Amino acid sequence: MSYLAIAVINGAVPNPRRVEALTRRWRLEGLAVLLKTECDRANRNRLIVKKNSSPVRVSGGVIVDVTDTGRSTFTTGIQRVARETLTRWVGLHEVQCVSWTQDGRSLHRVTPLEYERATLHPAPESLSGEPPVVIPFRATFVLPEIAVDHERALRIRTIAEFSGSRTVAVGFDTIPVTSAETAGAGMPGAFSKYLATLARFSSVATISSAAQIEYVGWRSMLPSTGLVGPEIVQVDLPAGIGEVSVETVERVRHDLELDDVNVVLAVGSHEPRKNHLRLLVAAELRWRQGDQFALVMVGGNSWDTSRFDAMVERLRAAGRPIILLSNASDEVVWSLYRIARFSVFCSLNEGFGLPIVESLASGTPVVTSDFGSMRELGEGYGAVLADPHDAYSMARAMGELLSGDEVLERMRREAENLPLRSWDTYADRLWLLVDPTTRD
């Protein structure tokens, strides 16, 4: 009850250490002393009247944290998973979407714009007006994205430990700790604190067998800290086909001036782990061999892109056809999968590799890495495997699909055998973790 009292009085989810400290004080001095102390503190800091004048709502039911997805226009990776899931849940279940304030201390009902970005549905009129502060209590708290902001992760840990709520997260990968050299400055430490939060969760739904292995290994280390850890349940991401009309495909082709040209497509952010710098080298090797194609790269900028940006500039100055698209809509992305001769996704480490299955589901072969989840997803289903650490290996794989139609057609036939799992199925399976009472 300390958690609930502190949260309501202050209009914010408290730090877990504060809950622990005030619980000890409550036991020693009584509830009345604790309540008076908190009210005096809140009034001194003007938290109730000035800093946070929003109404406070104690909420049960299913609460979904869409902080990043609701504020982002990116259409790939984690944001795609969250949106594809939420757009189905809100049509079938009672779901309350929430987001954290910029300082990561207070949880609010989403704004209409955040709701529309996160769920791909028009915002209901009930979301108009001042968003109330939401205090989860005996609820089901769902985290379909990662939370590496320090304050946000700390307060989600409070919810997991003290609110009496069931807590469910999607486990994408543990790359920031298993391949820390590919992560941005500060990310390994921040991700470790996020894992400390997940250690108090009820369930983690991993997106692939590779992610399952990583999270099971992580969980096996927790008993030494006195924690049991969450149940780890594998809920594979789907291999679905996005709907797009022939007219839309042709419009995108015309708008991007891709008529009568071979297109090599890469989807994903330009962070070093995605290996786009080495992809540029491999593409230049093919151009020097006389291959004719345009390289289209879809994805937002990321950390440490200076070398990538400089190489793009040099290659463009040499006349190489490189098109960079940021914040592309779903219809553009799905059109490009159909326009492309093949795609390339040679990441250095990946929990799943959604662009691989999206490309193959569209009937477009892919060049991908020869290990881990990427090999698991692509081998035998239309993928040519390459060593992502070797630009020459990547260039050879690209050459197989550029030099003639025989290998290309064989890969396309293989892609037809890809087991297709829909986003509907994924959303339904994930919901079984959120609400176990719906299981048959």
Side-chain angles (χ1 to χ4, degrees):
M1 295 300 292
S2 298
Y3 156 81
L4 189 59
I6 300 166
V8 170
I9 291 170
N10 291 281
V13 176
N15 183 304
R17 291 188 291 272
R18 182 161 182 76
V19 177
E20 293 167 352
L22 290 181
T23 298
R24 288 193 294 269
R25 187 171 181 182
W26 175 7
R27 291 169 178 170
L28 289 172
E29 302 177 17
L31 179 60
V33 173
L34 179 144
L35 294 177
K36 184 178 186 305
T37 300
E38 280 302 293
C39 288
D40 290 345
R41 178 177 180 272
N43 285 323
R44 279 198 310 272
N45 294 330
R46 297 181 178 179
L47 289 174
I48 293 177
V49 177
K50 298 293 185 181
K51 186 176 180 181
N52 191 354
S53 58
S54 301
V56 177
R57 177 183 298 165
V58 177
S59 293
V62 178
I63 299 172
V64 185
D65 182 348
V66 294
T67 302
D68 293 336
T69 305
R71 294 171 185 166
S72 172
T73 57
F74 293 150
T75 59
T76 59
I78 292 172
Q79 279 69 48
R80 179 179 291 280
V81 174
R83 288 192 181 101
E84 294 286 0
T85 302
L86 263 295
T87 193
R88 288 158 176 81
W89 281 1
V90 298
L92 297 172
H93 310 291
E94 289 293 328
V95 172
Q96 180 178 187
C97 295
V98 296
S99 65
W100 293 88
T101 52
Q102 292 293 339
D103 63 7
R105 296 170 184 265
S106 185
L107 198 60
H108 285 252
R109 187 193 67 198
V110 291
T111 65
L113 178 58
E114 289 173 333
Y115 182 90
E116 291 172 2
R117 284 179 174 169
T119 70
L120 304 178
H121 283 266
E125 289 189 10
S126 60
L127 294 185
S128 60
E130 182 71 19
V133 174
V134 176
I135 307 298
F137 183 66
R138 295 177 182 171
T140 298
F141 183 86
V142 184
L143 182 62
E145 46 189 46
I146 66 171
V148 292
D149 174 80
H150 174 70
E151 293 296 339
R152 179 187 176 194
L154 200 59
R155 280 157 176 77
I156 292 175
R157 173 180 161 183
T158 299
I159 294 170
E161 281 195 87
F162 301 112
S163 74
S165 299
R166 176 173 174 76
T167 44
V168 179
V170 175
F172 291 93
D173 56 60
T174 62
I175 288 171
V177 292
T178 58
S179 299
E181 71 281 3
T182 69
M187 177 57 81
F191 192 84
S192 295
K193 292 178 180 178
Y194 161 68
L195 287 179
T197 291
L198 291 192
R200 278 82 177 173
F201 264 53
S202 308
S203 300
V204 171
T206 56
I207 61 173
S208 68
S209 60
Q212 178 82 357
I213 291 169
E214 292 179 359
Y215 273 94
V216 167
W218 159 74
R219 184 182 184 274
S220 70
M221 296 185 289
L222 295 179
S224 64
T225 68
L227 297 172
V228 175
E231 65 169 339
I232 311 295
V233 180
Q234 185 174 330
V235 183
D236 290 338
L237 290 184
I241 303 174
E243 296 296 330
V244 63
S245 67
V246 173
E247 292 75 17
T248 299
V249 173
E250 291 309 311
R251 176 176 55 79
V252 170
R253 188 195 304 271
H254 177 74
D255 290 348
L256 296 178
E257 300 180 354
L258 297 174
D259 300 298
D260 303 319
V261 61
N262 283 326
V263 172
V264 176
L265 175 66
V267 175
S269 63
H270 304 316
E271 63 183 277
R273 177 171 59 86
K274 300 299 183 180
N275 210 24
H276 285 176
L277 184 62
R278 198 169 276 119
L279 171 57
L280 291 175
V281 174
E284 173 62 6
L285 291 172
R286 296 316 316 171
W287 281 317
R288 291 186 181 186
Q289 290 293 317
D291 291 330
Q292 301 294 316
F293 64 94
L295 179 61
V296 180
M297 308 185 76
V298 179
N301 291 327
S302 186
W303 66 281
D304 194 18
T305 62
S306 57
R307 294 175 65 198
F308 170 83
D309 295 336
M311 178 165 281
V312 168
E313 185 177 346
R314 288 197 302 272
L315 291 175
R316 282 176 166 172
R320 304 308 192 193
I322 301 174
I323 298 174
L324 302 183
L325 299 177
S326 181
N327 297 330
S329 67
D330 281 352
E331 70 172 17
V332 170
V333 174
W334 285 111
S335 294
L336 286 169
Y337 278 129
R338 287 159 172 79
I339 291 169
R341 184 178 177 89
F342 62 91
S343 66
V344 181
F345 190 85
C346 285
S347 175
L348 298 176
N349 195 347
E350 208 68 37
F352 186 77
L354 197 56
I356 298 173
V357 294
E358 290 181 338
S359 182
L360 297 176
S362 301
T364 301
V366 60
V367 174
T368 192
S369 302
D370 60 356
F371 60 85
S373 64
M374 293 168 283
R375 180 170 193 150
E376 174 189 336
L377 292 170
E379 188 173 29
Y381 297 116
V384 177
L385 304 178
D387 179 356
H389 300 281
D390 182 355
Y392 288 96
S393 174
M394 292 169 60
R396 284 192 296 272
M398 292 169 64
E400 288 186 43
L401 296 173
L402 284 167
S403 59
D405 292 337
E406 182 179 345
V407 175
L408 185 71
E409 290 304 319
R410 177 162 56 85
M411 293 296 104
R412 285 174 175 167
R413 289 194 298 271
E414 284 189 2
E416 294 175 358
N417 297 322
L418 181 73
L420 295 182
R421 296 181 301 273
S422 70
W423 281 107
D424 290 344
T425 299
Y426 176 79
D428 288 345
R429 290 188 62 201
L430 189 58
W431 185 260
L432 293 179
L433 280 184
V434 172
D435 184 4
T437 64
T438 58
R439 294 176 183 172
D440 293 333

